[in-house]
Amino acid sequence: MKVRASIHKDFAISEIDDRLYSAFIEHMGRAIYSGIYEPGHPTANADGFRTDVLDLVRALKIPAIRYPGGNFVSAYNWEDGIGPKETRPVRLDLAWRSKETNQVGINEFAGWAKDAGIEMMLALNLGSRGIDDARNFVEYCNHPSGTHWSDLRRSHGVEQPYDVKMWCLGNELDGPWQIGHKEAKEYGRLADETSKAVKAFGKGIETIVCGSSNDAMPTYPDWERQVLEECYDSVDYISLHKYFGNSSHDTLNFFGKIEETGRYIQSIAGAIDFVKARKRSKKDIYICFDEWNVWYHRREQDSKNWRSWDWPEAPELLEEDYNLEDALFVGGLLNEFIRRSDRVKIACIAQLVNVIAPIRAERGGKAWATSIYYPYQFASLYGRGTALRVSVDAPTYNCQAADDVSYLDAAGVLSKSGDMVTLFVLNRHLSEAAELAVDLTGFGDARLAEHFVIGGEGGDIRAANTSDNPERIKPRAGSGVGVEDGKRLRGSLPPLSYHVLRLALT
Ligand code: AHR
């Protein structure tokens, strides 16, 4: 198939917020316990955190991490996780029917995040609790000293406040499964008042109000409108969540869910604009896509298990073995985030370790990168700067998820220093190579500096990185693509392949 494309330095979409490449981790399954934290593991540091996992995390250069939930947060008492570890209560986690030992709480997690070089984005419990608990937690984290909660923090050995800037106003409160599920207006009022209380702690604090749990919720998108009508003036972002699957093994439809996500983003943007207009407001609210990932391989099996199990501690839950198809999908989805970086400012891969995660860690054993680790890493490393429009002229297909889906999916980013353009390209055709020609005349002279590829070698698209074969899917150096006269990128991209093409500008 022949594909023509063009990209020009003057056709910018938006500055990309670095936090587009953030992550999420929850007290759930083995994400925290035996994921990032496992005292006694051969690689554990003095604080009990696994350094093999930490190394994999650091290599992703994650800007921010949402913590501690998720559904977990909606019945969580943050005070259970502070003070001497031996006196912390063991509680039942109602969200995942598990036992929570509270051996990791805010101070341990903050230490880990600092070591990993990641900023914290903390979620407040607006399910079983409310404003009073929220303001106490913010005081514990952010106030310097001289008050009950700040001095308690100092007595726990943390002299300096964490100065956390991002606060999530609960989690998925539109969902009937959520502890403390609410009606839209009721939640919007609570979010408004909580946001005002949180922001009273000082300048620079941003709050994120809960949008719909997904675009199949019966209350979507009216939830967004009603919630924003209550709290538009006091919040900064509205959250979106979406998980993806391919149980029917229809690869093209799976890949069409990238476009479906574009529609979802556009609809939320529409709800924001509607409320903004109704309020005659000058203020903008942006999107925080704070849970996204592929989640289906073990979904059915897991949901049967956890609903009936007997409150285990750190059980195996949602431990997906991601395959090549998932990696290609994640590459394309991140392209969509780059293309919509005008509205989506923060996005969090859900989750980070063991639970629907780019990193897996065996209890007492090894850690490895799943297939989706790599496109996420490429986007995080090379997707910072200015998103540029890439116009693509390629054959298209229709599927259940979307119509007119281009077989070639592309995003382009001009680096912050202005001397590098990165093209992220997915050929989602099942059998044909893309004979690609990209017009680069808008950049002066360009040279192909680096080319990485995932897939495109034929074979089984459902081959996964597993404990036995942890490196089956990984990137390799690309070939068959070059720049002619500094002005035209040409090459052949095999079917079912994802490419990172880094162009040095002179
Ligand atoms: O990430 C797993 C769960 O998915 C989260 O706890 C919840 O917010 C969402 O439904």
Short mmCIF file of all heavy atoms in Angstrom, two decimals, residues 459-479:
data_model
loop_
_atom_site.label_atom_id
_atom_site.label_comp_id
_atom_site.label_asym_id
_atom_site.label_seq_id
_atom_site.Cartn_x
_atom_site.Cartn_y
_atom_site.Cartn_z
N GLY A 459 5.10 -13.97 12.04
CA GLY A 459 5.00 -14.73 13.29
C GLY A 459 3.71 -14.44 14.03
O GLY A 459 2.79 -13.81 13.50
N ASP A 460 3.68 -14.86 15.27
CA ASP A 460 2.44 -14.84 16.05
C ASP A 460 2.25 -13.48 16.72
O ASP A 460 3.02 -13.10 17.61
CB ASP A 460 2.53 -15.96 17.10
CG ASP A 460 1.25 -16.08 17.89
OD1 ASP A 460 0.28 -15.36 17.59
OD2 ASP A 460 1.24 -16.91 18.83
N ILE A 461 1.19 -12.79 16.32
CA ILE A 461 0.94 -11.46 16.90
C ILE A 461 0.52 -11.57 18.37
O ILE A 461 0.56 -10.60 19.12
CB ILE A 461 -0.13 -10.71 16.07
CG1 ILE A 461 -0.10 -9.23 16.40
CG2 ILE A 461 -1.50 -11.32 16.25
CD1 ILE A 461 -0.97 -8.38 15.55
N ARG A 462 0.16 -12.78 18.80
CA ARG A 462 -0.24 -12.96 20.21
C ARG A 462 0.89 -13.53 21.06
O ARG A 462 0.69 -13.93 22.21
CB ARG A 462 -1.49 -13.83 20.31
CG ARG A 462 -2.60 -13.17 19.52
CD ARG A 462 -3.99 -13.30 19.98
NE ARG A 462 -4.76 -12.32 19.21
CZ ARG A 462 -5.15 -12.51 17.95
NH1 ARG A 462 -4.90 -13.63 17.34
NH2 ARG A 462 -5.79 -11.55 17.32
N ALA A 463 2.10 -13.52 20.50
CA ALA A 463 3.26 -13.94 21.30
C ALA A 463 3.51 -12.88 22.37
O ALA A 463 3.50 -11.67 22.07
CB ALA A 463 4.48 -14.09 20.41
N ALA A 464 3.73 -13.33 23.60
CA ALA A 464 3.83 -12.38 24.72
C ALA A 464 5.14 -12.54 25.47
O ALA A 464 5.81 -13.57 25.37
CB ALA A 464 2.67 -12.63 25.68
N ASN A 465 5.49 -11.52 26.23
CA ASN A 465 6.61 -11.63 27.17
C ASN A 465 6.08 -12.29 28.44
O ASN A 465 5.16 -11.75 29.07
CB ASN A 465 7.18 -10.25 27.50
CG ASN A 465 7.95 -9.65 26.34
OD1 ASN A 465 8.08 -10.28 25.29
ND2 ASN A 465 8.48 -8.46 26.53
N THR A 466 6.64 -13.42 28.77
CA THR A 466 6.18 -14.16 29.95
C THR A 466 7.36 -14.42 30.87
O THR A 466 8.51 -14.16 30.49
CB THR A 466 5.59 -15.51 29.53
OG1 THR A 466 6.61 -16.23 28.83
CG2 THR A 466 4.36 -15.36 28.64
N SER A 467 7.08 -15.00 32.00
CA SER A 467 8.16 -15.33 32.93
C SER A 467 9.20 -16.24 32.26
O SER A 467 10.40 -16.05 32.44
CB SER A 467 7.54 -16.03 34.14
OG SER A 467 8.54 -16.54 34.96
N ASP A 468 8.74 -17.20 31.46
CA ASP A 468 9.68 -18.12 30.80
C ASP A 468 10.41 -17.47 29.63
O ASP A 468 11.50 -17.89 29.27
CB ASP A 468 8.91 -19.33 30.23
CG ASP A 468 8.34 -20.17 31.34
OD1 ASP A 468 8.85 -20.03 32.47
OD2 ASP A 468 7.37 -20.91 31.09
N ASN A 469 9.76 -16.51 29.02
CA ASN A 469 10.35 -15.88 27.83
C ASN A 469 10.14 -14.37 27.91
O ASN A 469 9.36 -13.78 27.16
CB ASN A 469 9.67 -16.46 26.57
CG ASN A 469 10.52 -16.27 25.35
OD1 ASN A 469 11.49 -15.50 25.38
ND2 ASN A 469 10.17 -16.94 24.26
N PRO A 470 10.85 -13.71 28.85
CA PRO A 470 10.55 -12.31 29.15
C PRO A 470 11.00 -11.32 28.08
O PRO A 470 10.63 -10.15 28.15
CB PRO A 470 11.29 -12.06 30.47
CG PRO A 470 12.34 -13.09 30.54
CD PRO A 470 11.87 -14.27 29.76
N GLU A 471 11.78 -11.77 27.10
CA GLU A 471 12.28 -10.81 26.11
C GLU A 471 11.81 -11.15 24.70
O GLU A 471 12.44 -10.77 23.71
CB GLU A 471 13.81 -10.78 26.15
CG GLU A 471 14.33 -10.30 27.47
CD GLU A 471 15.75 -9.80 27.40
OE1 GLU A 471 16.39 -9.93 26.33
OE2 GLU A 471 16.22 -9.30 28.43
N ARG A 472 10.73 -11.88 24.61
CA ARG A 472 10.26 -12.29 23.29
C ARG A 472 9.91 -11.07 22.43
O ARG A 472 10.26 -11.00 21.26
CB ARG A 472 9.02 -13.17 23.48
CG ARG A 472 8.70 -13.98 22.28
CD ARG A 472 7.89 -15.18 22.71
NE ARG A 472 7.37 -15.87 21.56
CZ ARG A 472 6.44 -16.79 21.63
NH1 ARG A 472 5.93 -17.14 22.81
NH2 ARG A 472 6.01 -17.38 20.55
N ILE A 473 9.22 -10.11 23.02
CA ILE A 473 8.87 -8.89 22.29
C ILE A 473 9.72 -7.76 22.83
O ILE A 473 9.62 -7.39 24.00
CB ILE A 473 7.38 -8.51 22.52
CG1 ILE A 473 6.45 -9.70 22.27
CG2 ILE A 473 6.99 -7.30 21.68
CD1 ILE A 473 6.43 -10.23 20.87
N LYS A 474 10.58 -7.23 21.97
CA LYS A 474 11.32 -6.03 22.37
C LYS A 474 11.75 -5.29 21.11
O LYS A 474 11.78 -5.87 20.02
CB LYS A 474 12.48 -6.35 23.30
CG LYS A 474 13.55 -7.23 22.76
CD LYS A 474 14.61 -7.38 23.83
CE LYS A 474 15.91 -7.83 23.19
NZ LYS A 474 16.96 -8.08 24.09
N PRO A 475 12.07 -4.01 21.25
CA PRO A 475 12.41 -3.24 20.05
C PRO A 475 13.76 -3.64 19.48
O PRO A 475 14.61 -4.17 20.20
CB PRO A 475 12.47 -1.80 20.57
CG PRO A 475 12.20 -1.83 22.00
CD PRO A 475 12.12 -3.22 22.49
N ARG A 476 13.92 -3.38 18.20
CA ARG A 476 15.22 -3.60 17.56
C ARG A 476 15.49 -2.38 16.68
O ARG A 476 14.59 -1.58 16.43
CB ARG A 476 15.18 -4.89 16.73
CG ARG A 476 14.16 -4.87 15.63
CD ARG A 476 14.01 -6.22 14.92
NE ARG A 476 13.19 -6.07 13.73
CZ ARG A 476 11.86 -6.00 13.72
NH1 ARG A 476 11.19 -6.08 14.86
NH2 ARG A 476 11.19 -5.84 12.60
N ALA A 477 16.73 -2.29 16.20
CA ALA A 477 17.05 -1.18 15.29
C ALA A 477 16.33 -1.43 13.97
O ALA A 477 16.29 -2.58 13.50
CB ALA A 477 18.55 -1.10 15.10
N GLY A 478 15.79 -0.39 13.38
CA GLY A 478 15.06 -0.53 12.12
C GLY A 478 15.99 -0.43 10.92
O GLY A 478 17.14 0.00 11.03
N SER A 479 15.46 -0.83 9.76
CA SER A 479 16.22 -0.68 8.52
C SER A 479 15.22 -0.42 7.40
O SER A 479 14.00 -0.51 7.60
CB SER A 479 17.03 -1.94 8.22
OG SER A 479 16.14 -3.03 8.09
#
